[in-house]
Amino acid sequence: MKKVVICGINTATLPKLSNAEIDELMQKIKTGDQKAKQKFIYANMRLVLSVAQRFLHKKYDADDLFQVGCVGLIKAIDNFDVSLGVKFSTYAVPMIMGEIRRFLRDNNAVRVSRSLRDIAYRALQSREKLSATLERDPTVDEIAKDLDCPYMDVACALDAISEPMSLSEPIFTDDQDEMELGDHITDEFNIDEKYLNNVSIKDAIATLSPREKRILLLRYYVGKTQVEVSQEVGISQAQVSRLEKSALNVVKKFVS
């Protein structure tokens, strides 16, 4: 087995409990036996890891997600009703997922109103349910119909909890040259800025090659994307990116 070490715990060493051991420990837990509870928590950390792994694409530390999942596990243990005849894992997984989702929602960089978060949370649950039924990702319209909620409310709620991306987010072209998200966005608002009129910047631009000057002109005066610049100048986007970065480094040295 491949081991996973998370929060200092080697998951390959975690014990596996039989159904009889689970029932026995749960009975002891309900009587207040803390040692039994600790053993049960430790034995179920592999379950927490399996749930947390679904969220590892998020920009949060894996240890943080695992610890939040453990909180959900403890809540599941405290609230589990042994008389229902349901497997503990069946009850615990939604509790663990809910705790992680709450953490991600509450720690979003953009603050969202509680009413919008509630709609978003219900929409995420609906999306998961519909995905299992339809065997594909449901549309926003399908989610809205399932919730009996206006389309725009659901769309806005899901958009509100989406994690914002930095314009410096690295992306890649086909030839694997690294580029940033901002390189693909047209600036339609700041095309009249006069910051290049600064004397130091003028001196820096004077040292650039004609091609570098033209690239900076198209990028920062006209507000074109690197794709648009590459088409106008007649070179690849990757070359535009390299020349632009080189020219900006020259400018920075003059004004620093």
Side-chain angles (χ1 to χ4, degrees):
M1 267 184 74
K2 292 183 179 179
K3 71 176 183 178
V4 176
V5 177
I6 189 163
C7 291
I9 299 170
N10 181 354
T11 57
T13 65
L14 294 175
K16 290 185 178 181
L17 300 177
S18 65
N19 289 334
E21 288 175 317
I22 291 174
D23 292 340
E24 181 183 353
L25 284 173
M26 189 55 71
Q27 293 293 341
K28 290 181 178 179
I29 291 170
K30 294 305 177 183
T31 64
D33 190 329
Q34 291 301 308
K35 288 185 178 180
K37 185 175 183 178
Q38 288 297 324
K39 183 177 179 179
F40 195 81
I41 291 171
Y42 191 66
N44 279 279
M45 284 185 174
R46 192 181 285 108
L47 177 64
V48 175
L49 177 62
S50 68
V51 175
Q53 284 176 328
R54 304 182 192 183
F55 299 89
L56 291 185
H57 65 285
K58 303 292 185 182
K59 294 183 179 180
Y60 289 94
D61 187 77
D63 284 0
D64 290 341
L65 295 179
F66 181 75
Q67 291 178 53
V68 172
C70 286
V71 173
L73 172 65
I74 294 171
K75 288 183 177 180
I77 293 172
D78 292 339
N79 293 284
F80 184 61
D81 188 345
V82 294
S83 66
L84 295 177
V86 178
K87 286 182 64 177
F88 174 75
S89 59
T90 303
Y91 177 79
V93 167
M95 293 282 286
I96 297 169
M97 291 183 67
E99 200 66 31
I100 293 176
R101 281 176 173 151
R102 190 175 299 109
F103 168 78
L104 295 174
R105 187 173 65 244
D106 292 345
N107 287 274
N108 197 297
V110 179
R111 304 307 298 175
V112 181
S113 69
R114 176 165 292 278
S115 60
L116 209 56
R117 288 204 309 268
D118 288 342
I119 294 174
Y121 181 62
R122 290 169 52 215
L124 292 175
Q125 289 179 314
S126 175
R127 176 190 286 172
E128 192 166 317
K129 180 186 71 175
L130 291 174
S131 294
T133 304
L134 301 173
E135 297 184 347
R136 62 172 172 79
D137 289 335
T139 64
V140 175
D141 189 49
E142 289 170 331
I143 294 173
K145 288 179 180 177
D146 182 57
L147 297 177
D148 191 22
C149 190
Y151 172 90
M152 285 304 299
D153 288 357
V154 174
C156 290
L158 289 173
D159 187 57
I161 64 169
S162 298
E163 188 172 354
M165 293 183 68
S166 168
L167 292 178
S168 299
E169 186 80 19
I171 56 178
F172 297 89
T173 59
D174 291 339
D175 56 3
Q176 299 300 303
D177 283 305
E178 183 173 329
M179 304 210 178
E180 297 178 353
L181 179 61
D183 296 334
H184 293 259
I185 299 176
T186 301
D187 184 356
E188 299 178 350
F189 300 99
N190 298 309
I191 58 176
D192 293 324
E193 287 184 359
K194 303 300 181 183
Y195 57 87
L196 286 180
N197 287 334
N198 179 280
V199 174
S200 296
I201 296 178
K202 280 187 175 181
D203 291 340
I205 291 177
T207 67
L208 302 178
S209 68
R211 176 176 283 179
E212 289 173 327
K213 291 178 183 178
R214 190 179 180 195
I215 289 173
L216 291 187
L217 173 69
L218 293 172
R219 287 284 286 137
Y220 296 100
Y221 271 116
V222 182
K224 290 182 177 290
T225 68
Q226 286 189 347
V227 174
E228 293 169 333
V229 173
S230 69
Q231 293 171 346
E232 187 160 333
V233 177
I235 58 178
S236 70
Q237 183 183 7
Q239 288 177 296
V240 171
S241 178
R242 284 193 288 268
L243 288 170
E244 179 186 333
K245 287 179 172 59
S246 174
L248 289 176
N249 285 334
V250 171
V251 173
K252 287 176 183 177
K253 289 179 181 178
F254 269 77
V255 298
S256 61

